[in-house]
Amino acid sequence: MGVSVCLEGLTQYDSPKYIRTQSVTWGCLKGFLYLTVAVSVCCIVVIFRLHQEVDEVNSSVHTNVKGVTFTNDRIWDTAEYTIPMQATNSFFVMTNIIKTENQLKRNCPEYPFVKAVCSSDNQCKNGSVDIHSKGIQTGRCVVYNATFKTCEVNAWCPVQYMGEPPEPAILRSSEDFTVLIKNNIKFPKFNYSIPNIPKNFNTSCTYNKTIFPFCPIFRLGNIVQEAKQKFSEMAVKGGIIAIRINWDCNLDSWFYDCRPKYGFQRLDDKNIMPGFHFRYAKYYKLPQGEEQRTLYKVYGIRFDVIVFGTVASAIEVVLSVVSYSNSGKSALCKIYNRKKYETVLNPSQVMYVSYVDEPHVTLIKKPLKTSLQHAQGSIVESHPVKFCDAGSCCTTESNEHCDNEESEPMRSTESNENDDNEQYELGQPLRQGASSPDSPKWCCCGKCLPTQKYHEQLCCRRKKGQCITTSHWFQQLVLSSRTLKKALLYKDPFLDLTDGNINNQMRHLAYMQYVHWRFGSFDLEDRAVIPSCCRWKIRDTYPKVVNNYTGFKME
C-alpha cells in the first residue's frame, strides 16, 4: 500500500491554477509594468550590445610625413628629420640634435664624468672600460680643459659632448609638419573591410576634433596639443606620443556606425627621465684612406599609432528569441495554458447568448458594432453543459406528468389562470406558428419583434427554423403558471397568489426559468440575454399593467 502511494505521488504533478480577471485599471497597470521592464531590458541589451556577436580588428598602418624647414643655415627636409623606426606602426620626427663632426680613431681625453676625472696616471688603468666611457683607457691622465684632467682613451675623437641638448630646440618649427595616416582594417568573422580615408576625401583638410573629425591628415603641433602638451617644451628632449584609432563598429543596419575615432596621449613620463633620443653616425673616407665620421645625438618625438576596436552584429540572438517565442505555440502549450489560466471577465463588459440549434453558450464582448445576433463571440469552454436534465426542472406534479406522458394525455386546466396552452399533451409536438412577414432581418424564427437596440436584436436560433417558444418544454418549463406558482410558493409558502402584483413576480421567475434551462446555471443570470421572441412571449403571457419594460441592462 505504501509503495503504491509513493509511486502514485512520484507520477503526479501539482501546479496552482491562476484566475485572470478583466479590469481596465489593473490591466493598464500590469501593461505599464511589463512595458517598463521590457523597455529597460531592451535598453540594457542595446546599450551594452548584449544581443550582438563581437569580433576583434585586424589592422595595417602606413604613414607619410611632409614638411620643410630652414634652420642654422641649413634646409631640413623629410629625408633628414624622419628616421625609420624598428617599431611597428611608429614614425619618428627629429626636433633637436647634438652633432659631433670630424671624428677620427685617436687617443684623446675622456669627457669629464665622475669616474673619468683624474689627477695622476695612477687613477687611470690601461685597458679599463666604463659603461659611460666613449673608449678604452690607455693608462694616462691628460688635460681635458683648463678645469679638468681626465683619463686618456682610445676612441673616436674628439668624444661627443654629453651635456644638455640645445634650448630652444633646433627643429622646433617641425610642429607645422603634417602626417597622413593610412589605416586599413578588417573584421574577419564578418568579412568586412574599411579604410580610414573617407570616399569624398579632401586632400587639403587637416584634422580638427570639431570641424574635420575624420580627416586622416594631422598637424604635429595639433597632435601634441590634443595630448595636453606644449610642443616647444617637448621638442627639446623629445618624447613618445600615442595616436589611438578606435574602431568601435556596429554593423546592424538600423544602427550602422563604423568610423574611426582619434585620440592622443603622451606615453613617457615628463617628470621621471622624460624624452626620447638615440645616436647614429655618417661615415666618410679621407683621401689618405682613413675613415672619418660625424656622430649625431638625435632628440625627437616618436609617434606610435595604436589601432584597436571591435565590431558587433545582431543575428544569432534575435533569431534565437524569435524561434523560442514560436516554440511556445505548440498544441501542448495551448492546452496547458487553457487549463492553467482561467479568465474571469468583468460582468459589465460581456453578454452571454444561447441558441437552440447550438449545444454551447457563447460569450459576446461589448461594445457591439452590429446586432447581437450577428456579433462574433467565443465558446464558454470552462462552463458546464447548458442543458439541464428535463426531469429536474419539473415539479413533483410535473414529474408525474413526465413519467406518464407516453400513456396518458395531459388534462387541460379548469380555469383561465393558465395561459400556456396546457391542453396539449407533452408527448405530442405543438404546431409551428406562422412566421410574421414583418419580422426583422436578423430574426431566424419569425417570432421576434423589431427593435433599434443592438443588444436586443437576438433570436433563439442561429439558422432558420422553428421558434423555441412553440416547443412543449418552453410551455411547460417557462410559461406554465402551475410550475411558476409552485416555485414561488416554494420560496415563500405564505405568498398571496391573488395579489395584483403576481404577474410581475411570475414574469421575472419565467425569465429565470429560461436562463436556468438554456444556460445551465443561474451564475450567468445577470449577463444572459433572453432572445426577443422568448422575451415578448413571456411579456405577453404575464404583462405589466403599464407597457414599459426595462429590458436588458447594458451597464
Side-chain angles (χ1 to χ4, degrees), residues 228-271:
K228 297 180 173 57
Q229 304 295 319
K230 289 184 178 180
F231 193 92
S232 58
E233 294 178 0
M234 195 172 184
V236 175
K237 291 186 177 182
I240 303 174
I241 294 289
I243 301 175
R244 293 179 285 106
I245 305 179
N246 181 13
W247 293 89
D248 192 7
C249 294
N250 189 340
L251 299 186
D252 294 346
S253 57
W254 55 90
F255 289 128
Y256 178 82
D257 180 26
C258 196
R259 292 182 293 184
K261 298 177 180 62
Y262 299 99
F264 311 93
Q265 180 183 2
R266 182 170 183 172
L267 298 181
D268 65 307
D269 193 325
K270 66 178 182 179
N271 297 318

Short mmCIF file of all heavy atoms in Angstrom, two decimals, residues 228-271:
data_model
loop_
_atom_site.label_atom_id
_atom_site.label_comp_id
_atom_site.label_asym_id
_atom_site.label_seq_id
_atom_site.Cartn_x
_atom_site.Cartn_y
_atom_site.Cartn_z
N LYS A 228 47.62 67.35 -24.60
CA LYS A 228 47.78 68.26 -23.45
C LYS A 228 49.26 68.52 -23.13
O LYS A 228 49.65 68.52 -21.95
CB LYS A 228 47.04 67.71 -22.23
CG LYS A 228 45.53 67.61 -22.41
CD LYS A 228 44.86 67.06 -21.16
CE LYS A 228 43.35 67.12 -21.29
NZ LYS A 228 42.80 66.42 -22.44
N GLN A 229 50.06 68.72 -24.17
CA GLN A 229 51.48 69.03 -24.02
C GLN A 229 51.81 70.27 -24.84
O GLN A 229 51.05 70.65 -25.74
CB GLN A 229 52.35 67.85 -24.47
CG GLN A 229 52.05 66.54 -23.77
CD GLN A 229 52.35 66.57 -22.30
OE1 GLN A 229 53.37 67.14 -21.88
NE2 GLN A 229 51.47 65.98 -21.48
N LYS A 230 52.97 70.89 -24.54
CA LYS A 230 53.47 72.02 -25.32
C LYS A 230 54.57 71.52 -26.24
O LYS A 230 55.56 70.92 -25.78
CB LYS A 230 54.01 73.11 -24.40
CG LYS A 230 52.92 73.86 -23.63
CD LYS A 230 53.52 75.00 -22.82
CE LYS A 230 52.45 75.78 -22.08
NZ LYS A 230 53.01 76.90 -21.29
N PHE A 231 54.42 71.81 -27.53
CA PHE A 231 55.38 71.29 -28.50
C PHE A 231 56.77 71.88 -28.26
O PHE A 231 57.78 71.17 -28.36
CB PHE A 231 54.91 71.61 -29.93
CG PHE A 231 55.66 70.86 -30.98
CD1 PHE A 231 55.22 69.64 -31.44
CD2 PHE A 231 56.84 71.38 -31.50
CE1 PHE A 231 55.92 68.94 -32.41
CE2 PHE A 231 57.55 70.69 -32.47
CZ PHE A 231 57.09 69.47 -32.93
N SER A 232 56.86 73.16 -27.94
CA SER A 232 58.17 73.82 -27.76
C SER A 232 58.95 73.19 -26.61
O SER A 232 60.18 73.05 -26.68
CB SER A 232 57.98 75.31 -27.51
OG SER A 232 57.16 75.53 -26.37
N GLU A 233 58.26 72.77 -25.54
CA GLU A 233 58.93 72.12 -24.41
C GLU A 233 59.30 70.68 -24.74
O GLU A 233 60.40 70.20 -24.41
CB GLU A 233 58.02 72.15 -23.18
CG GLU A 233 57.76 73.55 -22.64
CD GLU A 233 56.82 73.55 -21.46
OE1 GLU A 233 56.37 72.43 -21.07
OE2 GLU A 233 56.51 74.63 -20.92
N MET A 234 58.39 69.99 -25.40
CA MET A 234 58.62 68.59 -25.70
C MET A 234 59.70 68.41 -26.76
O MET A 234 60.38 67.38 -26.81
CB MET A 234 57.31 67.94 -26.15
CG MET A 234 57.31 66.44 -26.16
SD MET A 234 55.66 65.78 -26.48
CE MET A 234 56.00 64.04 -26.29
N ALA A 235 59.86 69.44 -27.62
CA ALA A 235 60.83 69.32 -28.71
C ALA A 235 62.27 69.33 -28.21
O ALA A 235 63.17 68.83 -28.91
CB ALA A 235 60.62 70.46 -29.70
N VAL A 236 62.54 69.83 -27.02
CA VAL A 236 63.92 69.93 -26.52
C VAL A 236 64.51 68.54 -26.29
O VAL A 236 65.60 68.21 -26.78
CB VAL A 236 63.95 70.77 -25.23
CG1 VAL A 236 65.36 70.77 -24.64
CG2 VAL A 236 63.49 72.18 -25.50
N LYS A 237 63.82 67.71 -25.55
CA LYS A 237 64.34 66.36 -25.25
C LYS A 237 63.54 65.25 -25.92
O LYS A 237 63.89 64.08 -25.80
CB LYS A 237 64.33 66.13 -23.74
CG LYS A 237 65.35 66.98 -22.99
CD LYS A 237 65.39 66.60 -21.52
CE LYS A 237 66.46 67.40 -20.80
NZ LYS A 237 66.57 67.02 -19.36
N GLY A 238 62.46 65.63 -26.61
CA GLY A 238 61.66 64.61 -27.29
C GLY A 238 60.66 63.94 -26.36
O GLY A 238 60.46 64.35 -25.20
N GLY A 239 60.04 62.87 -26.85
CA GLY A 239 59.04 62.14 -26.08
C GLY A 239 58.33 61.12 -26.95
O GLY A 239 58.68 60.92 -28.12
N ILE A 240 57.30 60.50 -26.38
CA ILE A 240 56.53 59.47 -27.10
C ILE A 240 55.05 59.83 -27.01
O ILE A 240 54.52 60.04 -25.92
CB ILE A 240 56.77 58.08 -26.49
CG1 ILE A 240 58.26 57.74 -26.50
CG2 ILE A 240 55.98 57.01 -27.26
CD1 ILE A 240 58.60 56.46 -25.79
N ILE A 241 54.43 59.92 -28.17
CA ILE A 241 53.01 60.25 -28.26
C ILE A 241 52.26 59.08 -28.90
O ILE A 241 52.71 58.53 -29.92
CB ILE A 241 52.77 61.53 -29.10
CG1 ILE A 241 53.37 62.75 -28.41
CG2 ILE A 241 51.28 61.74 -29.35
CD1 ILE A 241 52.63 63.21 -27.18
N ALA A 242 51.14 58.70 -28.31
CA ALA A 242 50.29 57.65 -28.88
C ALA A 242 49.15 58.28 -29.66
O ALA A 242 48.46 59.17 -29.16
CB ALA A 242 49.73 56.76 -27.77
N ILE A 243 48.99 57.82 -30.90
CA ILE A 243 47.83 58.21 -31.72
C ILE A 243 46.90 56.99 -31.72
O ILE A 243 47.18 55.98 -32.36
CB ILE A 243 48.24 58.59 -33.15
CG1 ILE A 243 49.24 59.74 -33.12
CG2 ILE A 243 47.01 58.95 -33.98
CD1 ILE A 243 49.80 60.10 -34.49
N ARG A 244 45.83 57.10 -30.99
CA ARG A 244 44.90 55.97 -30.85
C ARG A 244 43.78 56.08 -31.87
O ARG A 244 43.12 57.12 -31.96
CB ARG A 244 44.33 55.93 -29.43
CG ARG A 244 45.37 55.60 -28.37
CD ARG A 244 44.82 55.59 -26.96
NE ARG A 244 44.57 56.94 -26.45
CZ ARG A 244 43.40 57.49 -26.32
NH1 ARG A 244 42.31 56.83 -26.68
NH2 ARG A 244 43.26 58.72 -25.86
N ILE A 245 43.57 55.00 -32.62
CA ILE A 245 42.47 54.93 -33.59
C ILE A 245 41.51 53.85 -33.11
O ILE A 245 41.84 52.66 -33.10
CB ILE A 245 42.97 54.61 -35.01
CG1 ILE A 245 44.04 55.62 -35.43
CG2 ILE A 245 41.81 54.62 -36.00
CD1 ILE A 245 44.62 55.36 -36.81
N ASN A 246 40.33 54.29 -32.71
CA ASN A 246 39.34 53.37 -32.16
C ASN A 246 38.26 53.08 -33.20
O ASN A 246 37.56 53.98 -33.65
CB ASN A 246 38.72 53.99 -30.90
CG ASN A 246 37.69 53.07 -30.26
OD1 ASN A 246 37.62 51.89 -30.58
ND2 ASN A 246 36.91 53.61 -29.34
N TRP A 247 38.16 51.81 -33.58
CA TRP A 247 37.11 51.35 -34.49
C TRP A 247 36.08 50.57 -33.66
O TRP A 247 36.18 49.36 -33.51
CB TRP A 247 37.67 50.46 -35.58
CG TRP A 247 38.57 51.16 -36.54
CD1 TRP A 247 39.91 51.32 -36.44
CD2 TRP A 247 38.17 51.78 -37.77
NE1 TRP A 247 40.39 52.01 -37.52
CE2 TRP A 247 39.34 52.31 -38.36
CE3 TRP A 247 36.96 51.95 -38.43
CZ2 TRP A 247 39.33 52.98 -39.57
CZ3 TRP A 247 36.95 52.63 -39.64
CH2 TRP A 247 38.11 53.14 -40.20
N ASP A 248 35.12 51.27 -33.14
CA ASP A 248 34.03 50.63 -32.38
C ASP A 248 32.82 50.59 -33.30
O ASP A 248 32.01 51.52 -33.32
CB ASP A 248 33.74 51.41 -31.10
CG ASP A 248 32.83 50.65 -30.16
OD1 ASP A 248 32.55 49.47 -30.44
OD2 ASP A 248 32.39 51.23 -29.15
N CYS A 249 32.70 49.51 -34.07
CA CYS A 249 31.73 49.46 -35.16
C CYS A 249 30.47 48.70 -34.77
O CYS A 249 30.52 47.74 -34.00
CB CYS A 249 32.34 48.80 -36.39
SG CYS A 249 33.68 49.76 -37.13
N ASN A 250 29.37 49.14 -35.33
CA ASN A 250 28.08 48.46 -35.20
C ASN A 250 27.56 48.22 -36.61
O ASN A 250 27.25 49.16 -37.34
CB ASN A 250 27.11 49.33 -34.41
CG ASN A 250 25.84 48.58 -34.05
OD1 ASN A 250 25.50 47.58 -34.67
ND2 ASN A 250 25.13 49.07 -33.05
N LEU A 251 27.48 46.95 -37.02
CA LEU A 251 27.09 46.62 -38.39
C LEU A 251 25.60 46.40 -38.54
O LEU A 251 25.14 46.06 -39.64
CB LEU A 251 27.84 45.36 -38.86
CG LEU A 251 29.37 45.49 -38.89
CD1 LEU A 251 29.98 44.25 -39.51
CD2 LEU A 251 29.82 46.74 -39.64
N ASP A 252 24.82 46.55 -37.46
CA ASP A 252 23.36 46.45 -37.60
C ASP A 252 22.86 47.54 -38.53
O ASP A 252 23.22 48.71 -38.39
CB ASP A 252 22.68 46.61 -36.24
CG ASP A 252 23.02 45.45 -35.31
OD1 ASP A 252 23.54 44.45 -35.82
OD2 ASP A 252 22.78 45.57 -34.11
N SER A 253 22.01 47.15 -39.46
CA SER A 253 21.57 48.10 -40.49
C SER A 253 20.85 49.30 -39.89
O SER A 253 20.95 50.42 -40.41
CB SER A 253 20.66 47.39 -41.50
OG SER A 253 19.55 46.81 -40.85
N TRP A 254 20.11 49.10 -38.79
CA TRP A 254 19.35 50.22 -38.20
C TRP A 254 20.19 51.08 -37.27
O TRP A 254 19.77 52.15 -36.90
CB TRP A 254 18.12 49.69 -37.45
CG TRP A 254 18.43 48.67 -36.40
CD1 TRP A 254 18.71 48.90 -35.10
CD2 TRP A 254 18.51 47.26 -36.57
NE1 TRP A 254 18.94 47.73 -34.43
CE2 TRP A 254 18.82 46.70 -35.31
CE3 TRP A 254 18.35 46.40 -37.65
CZ2 TRP A 254 18.97 45.34 -35.12
CZ3 TRP A 254 18.50 45.04 -37.46
CH2 TRP A 254 18.80 44.52 -36.22
N PHE A 255 21.41 50.60 -36.90
CA PHE A 255 22.30 51.39 -36.05
C PHE A 255 23.71 51.44 -36.65
O PHE A 255 24.67 51.54 -35.90
CB PHE A 255 22.37 50.81 -34.64
CG PHE A 255 21.12 50.99 -33.82
CD1 PHE A 255 20.52 49.91 -33.19
CD2 PHE A 255 20.55 52.23 -33.68
CE1 PHE A 255 19.36 50.08 -32.44
CE2 PHE A 255 19.41 52.41 -32.92
CZ PHE A 255 18.81 51.34 -32.30
N TYR A 256 23.83 51.38 -37.96
CA TYR A 256 25.15 51.24 -38.58
C TYR A 256 26.05 52.43 -38.22
O TYR A 256 25.67 53.60 -38.33
CB TYR A 256 25.03 51.16 -40.10
CG TYR A 256 26.39 51.06 -40.77
CD1 TYR A 256 27.05 49.85 -40.87
CD2 TYR A 256 27.01 52.21 -41.27
CE1 TYR A 256 28.30 49.77 -41.46
CE2 TYR A 256 28.27 52.14 -41.87
CZ TYR A 256 28.90 50.91 -41.96
OH TYR A 256 30.13 50.83 -42.54
N ASP A 257 27.26 52.09 -37.78
CA ASP A 257 28.26 53.11 -37.47
C ASP A 257 29.62 52.43 -37.49
O ASP A 257 29.89 51.54 -36.68
CB ASP A 257 28.00 53.75 -36.10
CG ASP A 257 29.04 54.82 -35.77
OD1 ASP A 257 29.60 55.39 -36.72
OD2 ASP A 257 29.28 55.08 -34.58
N CYS A 258 30.48 52.83 -38.42
CA CYS A 258 31.83 52.26 -38.49
C CYS A 258 32.77 53.34 -39.01
O CYS A 258 33.17 53.33 -40.18
CB CYS A 258 31.84 51.02 -39.38
SG CYS A 258 33.33 50.01 -39.17
N ARG A 259 33.12 54.26 -38.13
CA ARG A 259 34.04 55.34 -38.47
C ARG A 259 35.08 55.45 -37.36
O ARG A 259 34.79 55.20 -36.20
CB ARG A 259 33.28 56.66 -38.64
CG ARG A 259 32.36 56.69 -39.85
CD ARG A 259 31.67 58.02 -40.01
NE ARG A 259 30.72 58.27 -38.93
CZ ARG A 259 29.93 59.34 -38.87
NH1 ARG A 259 29.98 60.24 -39.85
NH2 ARG A 259 29.10 59.50 -37.87
N PRO A 260 36.31 55.84 -37.72
CA PRO A 260 37.38 55.90 -36.72
C PRO A 260 37.20 57.08 -35.78
O PRO A 260 36.72 58.14 -36.16
CB PRO A 260 38.64 56.05 -37.57
CG PRO A 260 38.18 56.73 -38.81
CD PRO A 260 36.80 56.21 -39.07
N LYS A 261 37.63 56.87 -34.55
CA LYS A 261 37.65 57.95 -33.55
C LYS A 261 39.09 58.07 -33.07
O LYS A 261 39.67 57.10 -32.59
CB LYS A 261 36.70 57.64 -32.40
CG LYS A 261 35.24 57.53 -32.82
CD LYS A 261 34.35 57.15 -31.65
CE LYS A 261 32.90 57.05 -32.09
NZ LYS A 261 32.68 56.01 -33.09
N TYR A 262 39.65 59.28 -33.20
CA TYR A 262 41.06 59.50 -32.90
C TYR A 262 41.22 60.07 -31.49
O TYR A 262 40.43 60.91 -31.04
CB TYR A 262 41.67 60.47 -33.93
CG TYR A 262 41.62 59.96 -35.35
CD1 TYR A 262 40.62 60.38 -36.23
CD2 TYR A 262 42.56 59.05 -35.81
CE1 TYR A 262 40.56 59.92 -37.53
CE2 TYR A 262 42.52 58.59 -37.12
CZ TYR A 262 41.51 59.01 -37.97
OH TYR A 262 41.47 58.55 -39.27
N GLY A 263 42.28 59.60 -30.84
CA GLY A 263 42.64 60.10 -29.52
C GLY A 263 44.15 60.19 -29.40
O GLY A 263 44.90 59.51 -30.12
N PHE A 264 44.64 61.05 -28.50
CA PHE A 264 46.08 61.33 -28.40
C PHE A 264 46.47 61.36 -26.92
O PHE A 264 45.74 61.88 -26.08
CB PHE A 264 46.40 62.67 -29.07
CG PHE A 264 45.81 62.79 -30.45
CD1 PHE A 264 44.57 63.39 -30.65
CD2 PHE A 264 46.48 62.29 -31.55
CE1 PHE A 264 44.01 63.50 -31.90
CE2 PHE A 264 45.94 62.39 -32.82
CZ PHE A 264 44.70 63.01 -33.00
N GLN A 265 47.68 60.81 -26.64
CA GLN A 265 48.13 60.72 -25.26
C GLN A 265 49.66 60.62 -25.23
O GLN A 265 50.26 59.94 -26.07
CB GLN A 265 47.51 59.49 -24.59
CG GLN A 265 47.91 59.30 -23.15
CD GLN A 265 47.33 58.03 -22.57
OE1 GLN A 265 46.67 57.28 -23.26
NE2 GLN A 265 47.59 57.80 -21.29
N ARG A 266 50.28 61.30 -24.27
CA ARG A 266 51.72 61.16 -24.08
C ARG A 266 51.99 59.92 -23.25
O ARG A 266 51.40 59.73 -22.18
CB ARG A 266 52.30 62.39 -23.39
CG ARG A 266 53.82 62.31 -23.22
CD ARG A 266 54.44 63.61 -22.77
NE ARG A 266 55.91 63.49 -22.69
CZ ARG A 266 56.72 64.51 -22.46
NH1 ARG A 266 56.21 65.74 -22.28
NH2 ARG A 266 58.02 64.33 -22.42
N LEU A 267 52.95 59.08 -23.73
CA LEU A 267 53.22 57.82 -23.06
C LEU A 267 54.40 57.89 -22.09
O LEU A 267 54.41 57.19 -21.09
CB LEU A 267 53.48 56.72 -24.11
CG LEU A 267 52.31 56.41 -25.06
CD1 LEU A 267 52.70 55.30 -26.01
CD2 LEU A 267 51.05 56.05 -24.30
N ASP A 268 55.42 58.70 -22.40
CA ASP A 268 56.57 58.78 -21.48
C ASP A 268 56.25 59.76 -20.36
O ASP A 268 55.45 60.68 -20.52
CB ASP A 268 57.83 59.21 -22.23
CG ASP A 268 57.72 60.61 -22.78
OD1 ASP A 268 56.72 60.89 -23.49
OD2 ASP A 268 58.60 61.46 -22.49
N ASP A 269 56.89 59.54 -19.22
CA ASP A 269 56.66 60.39 -18.05
C ASP A 269 57.56 61.62 -18.16
O ASP A 269 58.79 61.50 -18.20
CB ASP A 269 56.97 59.61 -16.78
CG ASP A 269 56.45 60.31 -15.53
OD1 ASP A 269 56.48 61.56 -15.51
OD2 ASP A 269 56.04 59.61 -14.60
N LYS A 270 56.95 62.80 -18.21
CA LYS A 270 57.73 64.02 -18.38
C LYS A 270 58.43 64.46 -17.09
O LYS A 270 59.22 65.39 -17.11
CB LYS A 270 56.85 65.16 -18.90
CG LYS A 270 55.79 65.62 -17.93
CD LYS A 270 55.01 66.79 -18.54
CE LYS A 270 53.95 67.32 -17.60
NZ LYS A 270 53.22 68.46 -18.19
N ASN A 271 58.15 63.77 -15.98
CA ASN A 271 58.80 64.11 -14.70
C ASN A 271 59.95 63.17 -14.36
O ASN A 271 60.89 63.56 -13.68
CB ASN A 271 57.78 64.10 -13.57
CG ASN A 271 56.68 65.15 -13.77
OD1 ASN A 271 56.98 66.28 -14.15
ND2 ASN A 271 55.45 64.77 -13.53
#
